[in-house]
Amino acid sequence: MTQMMQAGAVQEAPAVVRPGALRNSISVEQLTCAIGAELSNVNLGDASRDPILVAEIRQLLLRHKVLFFRDQDTTRAEHVAFARHFGDLEDHPVAGSDPENPGLVRIYKSPDSPNDRYENAWHADATWREKPPFGCVLRCVECPPVGGDTMWANMVLAYEKLPEHIKTQIAGLRARHSIEASFGAAMPIEKRHALHAQFPDAEHPVVRTHPETGEKILFVNPFATHFTNFHTPENVRYGQDYAPGAAQLLHYLIGQAQIPEYQVRFRWKKNSMAMWDNRSTQHYAVMDYPPCHRKMERAGIIGDTPY
């Protein structure tokens, strides 16, 4: 009788164990030597209601910089609630948000809408803001049967691998980041100027410090238009030295994200989700698919001022 009761207790236990109590059973599969891990046996809908589980995911994010989750049949409300554990959400001034869930940006591609040219470039999100995003949580609603992958690069590693003389040269440099010169470039001049007035160019250190880990991060991408303090006696002998010297250095630094050894590539399926640390990574959405539907929903989390 005792054995039967014990067996029954074992069978009934899962029904009374809250989902977050199983967090120690999260499976972590590292995807490359540089960046990225796929987590299984975790549901982000459950995590949206479990701060302790969120704290564990946060530590894994700091370690791997981008996390992937499969088979996440979460609601939009759960998606937003999970992301909000990490901070307030931001709206995008150009991309449209879900009207019922502010901060959930809809990135929808279809045969009738042309590619926008901004996703398929290496970038960190919204570095044109004074406070670029902490990170993002992205969910695949619909994707092509083949193609449409997204890639991420570890910009901590990109900085670590720079030649020492380059590290010395860029140690105190700062760069200007612009929404006007990117999202605004194809707009009529009046609309472009209005966008610039709403979001003036932001200036950030070329090498930022991660506020949680203390890591040094190479923090330039195609939103960066120029250095703001390159023209010094140490760097420029004559006025004409400025343009090629600064431009070539900026181009070289932006190109570091393209090195495969710093990257991971993820193939999307419906209900796959990714979360990345926007402070220490860049990403690239590959537009190699034919005209078709690709629907993604992203919650961007407000960050802090880089230093």
Side-chain angles (χ1 to χ4, degrees):
M1 182 67 177
T2 302
Q3 291 178 344
M4 291 178 62
M5 292 177 61
Q6 290 176 343
V10 170
Q11 292 174 355
E12 294 173 2
V16 298
V17 175
R18 67 185 181 90
L22 302 176
R23 59 186 170 275
N24 290 332
S25 62
I26 291 177
S27 175
V28 181
E29 180 184 359
Q30 186 174 340
L31 297 185
T32 75
C33 294
I35 181 175
E38 185 170 328
L39 306 191
S40 55
N41 198 30
V42 59
N43 181 278
L44 297 188
D46 295 335
S48 71
R49 297 176 287 274
D50 188 341
I52 299 176
L53 182 53
V54 167
E56 184 171 352
I57 292 173
R58 186 181 190 119
Q59 291 305 309
L60 291 169
L61 179 67
L62 293 176
R63 183 183 310 163
H64 297 288
K65 298 179 174 53
V66 56
L67 304 176
F68 303 106
F69 310 83
R70 297 287 190 187
D71 303 317
Q72 300 293 312
D73 190 15
T74 60
T75 66
R76 286 173 173 168
E78 288 173 330
H79 183 169
V80 167
F82 172 74
R84 280 192 176 132
H85 280 283
F86 299 87
D88 292 333
L89 304 187
E90 63 180 21
D91 284 320
H92 195 283
V94 178
S97 291
D98 179 65
E100 296 180 0
N101 296 280
L104 191 65
V105 176
R106 296 179 296 188
I107 308 171
Y108 289 3
K109 301 290 190 300
S110 75
D112 301 322
S113 61
N115 292 335
D116 56 20
R117 313 180 316 284
Y118 303 118
E119 291 185 89
N120 61 331
W122 283 105
H123 66 285
D125 283 326
T127 58
W128 38 264
R129 294 187 187 272
E130 290 293 337
K131 295 182 177 181
F134 158 95
C136 296
V137 183
L138 182 66
R139 175 171 175 258
C140 177
V141 178
E142 183 179 351
C143 60
V146 179
D149 300 350
T150 304
M151 304 166 68
W152 283 263
N154 180 344
M155 301 312 293
V156 173
L157 187 60
Y159 173 75
E160 290 177 355
K161 296 294 186 180
L162 287 173
E164 289 301 319
H165 75 278
I166 297 293
K167 290 182 182 179
T168 300
Q169 187 176 17
I170 67 176
L173 282 183
R174 299 179 66 84
R176 192 65 55 84
H177 296 241
S178 174
I179 189 175
E180 179 189 19
S182 50
F183 285 97
M187 294 179 178
I189 187 169
E190 296 83 4
K191 190 173 181 180
R192 175 166 55 81
H193 286 176
L195 185 66
H196 180 266
Q198 184 180 3
F199 298 98
D201 294 351
E203 182 181 303
H204 300 307
V206 169
V207 181
R208 73 171 293 181
T209 301
H210 196 288
E212 296 183 75
T213 67
E215 295 169 309
K216 297 295 183 182
I217 303 159
L218 182 59
F219 199 64
V220 289
N221 67 83
F223 288 129
T225 57
H226 63 281
F227 299 126
T228 54
N229 60 336
F230 184 87
H231 199 294
T232 63
E234 293 78 16
N235 292 327
V236 180
R237 303 167 303 156
Y238 304 100
Q240 62 265 33
D241 287 352
Y242 167 73
Q248 289 168 4
L249 178 58
L250 181 59
H251 181 75
Y252 168 78
L253 295 174
I254 289 174
Q256 296 305 298
Q258 300 175 21
I259 296 175
E261 284 79 2
Y262 306 160
Q263 300 171 1
V264 64
R265 182 167 180 150
F266 185 66
R267 183 172 184 179
W268 293 102
K269 297 179 181 178
K270 182 178 179 180
N271 289 336
S272 294
M273 296 183 73
M275 180 179 190
W276 65 93
D277 189 332
N278 193 62
R279 301 164 295 185
S280 58
T281 66
Q282 292 186 32
H283 56 282
Y284 185 115
V286 182
M287 292 185 183
D288 58 347
Y289 47 93
C292 61
H293 291 279
R294 183 180 185 269
K295 297 181 179 180
M296 315 293 284
E297 296 180 347
R298 185 190 72 197
I301 303 156
I302 294 174
D304 52 12
T305 302
Y307 63 90

